[in-house]
Amino acid sequence: MKLNSEQEKAIEEYVDAQGLKIQTLRDDIIDHLCCVVESELGKGKPFDQSFEQAILDLAPDGLLEIQNKTVFLLNSKRIIMMKKLTYLTGLLGAVALTAGVTFKLLHMAFATELFMLGFLLLLLVFIPLLAIDRYKVILSKTISVRLKFISGVAAAVITGLSAVFKIMHLQGADLLLLLGAFLFAFGFLPFYFFTMYKKSIA
């Protein structure tokens, strides 16, 4: 049994409301849903029930999950390499930072160099790479959640840089600290408490 124009429009509107960004995937999903629903209608089932079951069978976790998996498969090598680099720099940074602190306490050579290497690896490589990876997960979230994430990461990196400047006695440490504190207080915190409030009344 063929779908009428209103039923086809209902399927298209549902798919479009999910926020899919890959046009070819969007078209394929609509075609698939239309075919499945038409088949079920031919068995005498009502449209609403057939459509709901077709969506549940295709994407129990939502259509965006299909898009995420598609993007991962299309970019799997690059994504895996980025994840390896992220966690490798995190490991090396943490080891170097730990060694630097230990060497400092034992008054051994290269303590400051190891500490700074670890600190910079974590601050300038690991945290930004991890933030980029996590940001892809929250792209489908509200603008307040995304702004909270961006302002929080920026505040952390800038504040960390101010500590590096302070340790190395470089100019601009106080300015960076003020900027980091400003971003944290007037960027991250308002969005953080706003999202907490939204969750509490949901």
Side-chain angles (χ1 to χ4, degrees):
M1 181 177 178
K2 188 169 178 60
L3 297 174
N4 60 44
S5 59
E6 288 184 1
Q7 291 169 336
E8 289 179 353
K9 186 178 179 182
I11 293 174
E12 288 181 6
E13 287 178 348
Y14 174 83
V15 174
D16 289 338
Q18 302 305 300
L20 297 175
K21 292 180 172 59
I22 304 175
Q23 185 64 32
T24 53
L25 178 63
R26 175 251 186 204
D27 295 340
D28 288 343
I29 288 174
I30 290 173
D31 287 342
H32 174 78
L33 289 174
C34 287
C35 290
V36 172
V37 173
E38 282 179 353
S39 175
E40 293 301 309
L41 290 178
K43 298 176 184 177
K45 293 183 180 179
F47 172 77
D48 290 340
Q49 181 185 341
S50 301
F51 184 34
E52 185 178 342
Q53 189 59 47
I55 293 168
L56 194 62
D57 291 341
L58 177 64
D61 297 321
L63 297 181
L64 282 176
E65 182 65 20
I66 295 178
Q67 179 172 265
N68 293 337
K69 288 179 179 177
T70 302
V71 170
F72 180 81
L73 289 172
L74 291 173
N75 303 280
S76 58
K77 288 185 179 179
R78 185 174 59 83
I79 291 171
I80 290 170
M81 284 298 296
M82 184 175 172
K83 285 184 179 290
K84 285 181 179 179
L85 178 62
T86 300
Y87 294 109
L88 179 62
T89 54
L91 173 63
L92 293 175
V95 169
L97 190 63
T98 303
V101 172
T102 305
F103 280 31
K104 193 75 172 176
L105 292 173
L106 296 173
H107 305 290
M108 297 173 67
F110 304 112
T112 303
E113 288 81 359
L114 282 169
F115 179 84
M116 292 303 301
L117 175 63
F119 199 82
L120 290 172
L121 273 175
L122 291 173
L123 184 67
L124 299 180
V125 183
F126 174 70
I127 290 177
L129 286 175
L130 188 65
I132 291 168
D133 185 57
R134 293 292 183 270
Y135 185 73
K136 291 181 293 185
V137 177
I138 65 165
L139 274 175
S140 59
K141 305 288 185 181
T142 61
I143 187 68
S144 60
V145 174
R146 281 180 277 170
L147 287 174
K148 178 191 73 172
F149 180 83
I150 293 169
S151 58
V153 171
V157 171
I158 291 171
T159 305
L161 278 174
S162 74
V164 173
F165 275 47
K166 202 76 172 175
I167 293 169
M168 299 180 70
H169 305 291
L170 297 173
Q171 290 185 348
D174 294 341
L175 182 61
L176 285 171
L177 181 59
L178 285 171
L179 181 58
F182 181 85
L183 270 175
F184 181 74
F186 299 103
F188 174 76
L189 289 179
F191 287 114
Y192 177 73
F193 283 102
F194 176 73
T195 51
M196 284 179 63
Y197 166 74
K198 292 287 284 184
K199 285 181 182 178
S200 71
I201 61 173

